[in-house]
Amino acid sequence: MLKEVIATRYITPLREGGSLPGLVEADDFGTYVMKFTGAGQGRKTLVAEVVCGELARRLGLRVPRLVTVELDPVLGLGEPEQQVQDLLRSSGGTNLGMDFLSGALGFDPLAFEVGPEEAGHVLWFDALVNNVDRSWRNPNLLMWQGELWLIDHGATMIWHHNWPGAEASAARPYDASDHALARFAPDVAAAAADLAPRVTEDLLTEVTAEIPDAWLAGEPGFDTADDLRRAYVRPLLARAAAVHERITGIEEVA
Ligand SMILES: Nc1ncnc2c1ncn2[C@@H]1O[C@H](COP(=O)(O)OP(=O)(O)OP(=O)(O)O)[C@@H](O)[C@H]1O
Ligand SMILES: [Mg+2]
């Protein structure tokens, strides 16, 4: 289970983020980057953050700790900015939080070095979940305490927007030509050999169990939250086996 905290103070919006994530303080005195259920991108973005973030972490990649943040919309009343006030007011209940990495720098492919092994692991993982948001223009990678951290997995698993076509969509290739780490000679074959056998049904079941029920309720075509959780397992399991053969746009892959 993700740790549950209660938001006690809205500190500031993070302007770089398209969905207007905010910095909040919680009842455990932690500072979190908060992503809101009421944001235009919708709650599936938050589901994707949990599934991909928790999967990446279990595969040995660095992802800031995720928590759920309970929000009382009253917290928005004192906000001077209309946009922030609207966001807080429409996000009562369970939202997503992430440990704030204080002092982290945005990853710049021209300023930092990443080894072929690590680059391969990140790229293989992005191909698995079909992450379209790790380009050199918008890497969604942070450098913190000398190491690479993965953030922002909201734009992944496009198939969860159209469940009837999910299995077919999961078979599609991954174009890595714009990937932020494509220039670091990513060793995708080594990553596949290491990671693919670890993406098991058990692991994916463990990961999807972390999705809060509130974000799964009422999905058309699914009777229960657990039915919907199982729908996330199938395409990822199918894709893990052969995705490295479907990565295009980097030389290392035949
Ligand atoms: N855990 C964190 N620690 C420190 N800074 C963070 C963290 N998470 C996000 N940020 C900062 O906030 C910015 C926006 O976060 P994020 O990319 O997750 O939001 P988004 O709204 O999904 O963004 P996008 O514009 O890419 O859709 C990041 O680019 C980064 O600068
Ligand atoms: Mg981002």
Side-chain angles (χ1 to χ4, degrees):
M1 271 277 285
L2 300 182
K3 180 179 177 179
E4 293 174 17
V5 303
I6 300 170
T8 50
R9 185 165 70 101
Y10 183 83
I11 303 170
T12 184
L14 286 170
R15 294 284 166 204
E16 313 96 286
S19 68
L20 205 67
L23 212 54
V24 301
E25 194 175 272
D27 60 339
D28 64 349
F29 303 108
T31 304
Y32 298 97
V33 174
M34 184 162 168
K35 296 208 166 179
F36 297 91
T37 46
Q41 288 78 355
R43 62 183 193 174
K44 280 193 182 173
T45 308
L46 306 188
V47 172
E49 292 271 13
V50 171
V51 172
C52 298
E54 291 304 317
L55 178 57
R57 186 192 323 288
R58 284 165 176 79
L59 296 177
L61 299 167
R62 282 177 224 93
V63 179
R65 182 179 55 135
L66 300 179
V67 300
T68 59
V69 186
E70 292 301 314
L71 176 70
D72 181 342
V74 163
L75 217 62
L77 293 180
E79 284 305 314
E81 254 188 89
Q82 192 64 43
Q83 204 188 357
V84 171
Q85 201 181 106
D86 290 347
L87 190 58
L88 295 180
R89 286 211 299 210
S90 62
S91 300
T94 305
N95 296 267
L96 180 72
M98 187 186 310
D99 274 350
F100 175 61
L101 307 182
S102 177
L105 294 174
F107 177 78
D108 176 351
L110 301 177
F112 300 103
E113 252 329 295
V114 178
E117 187 187 333
E118 184 169 24
H121 277 63
V122 174
L123 204 151
W124 184 88
F125 169 76
D126 284 332
L128 174 68
V129 299
N130 230 311
N131 188 3
V132 297
D133 247 356
R134 195 96 69 203
S135 72
W136 53 268
R137 285 178 217 91
N138 180 21
N140 290 308
L141 295 167
L142 299 177
M143 290 301 294
W144 187 65
Q145 300 190 345
E147 293 185 304
L148 190 69
W149 291 73
L150 277 53
I151 61 163
D152 194 0
H153 298 107
T156 56
M157 303 190 296
I158 183 146
W159 58 80
H160 74 154
H161 297 285
N162 175 28
W163 284 115
E167 305 267 337
S169 173
R172 295 220 183 104
Y174 182 73
D175 178 6
S177 48
D178 271 354
H179 195 279
L181 303 183
R183 64 192 300 273
F184 297 101
D187 191 345
V188 173
D194 179 19
L195 299 181
R198 292 159 64 184
V199 182
T200 60
E201 187 165 356
D202 280 355
L203 185 77
L204 292 167
T205 301
E206 182 186 312
V207 162
T208 54
E210 302 278 14
I211 312 166
D213 280 350
W215 302 345
L216 297 171
E219 176 75 12
F222 296 89
D223 292 333
T224 68
D226 281 339
D227 286 348
L228 184 49
R229 287 189 176 93
R230 275 188 285 277
Y232 281 89
V233 170
R234 283 190 294 270
L236 290 171
L237 197 56
R239 199 166 165 81
V243 70
H244 65 286
E245 293 164 4
R246 304 206 187 103
I247 298 173
T248 63
I250 48 168
E251 285 167 22
E252 285 66 26
V253 179

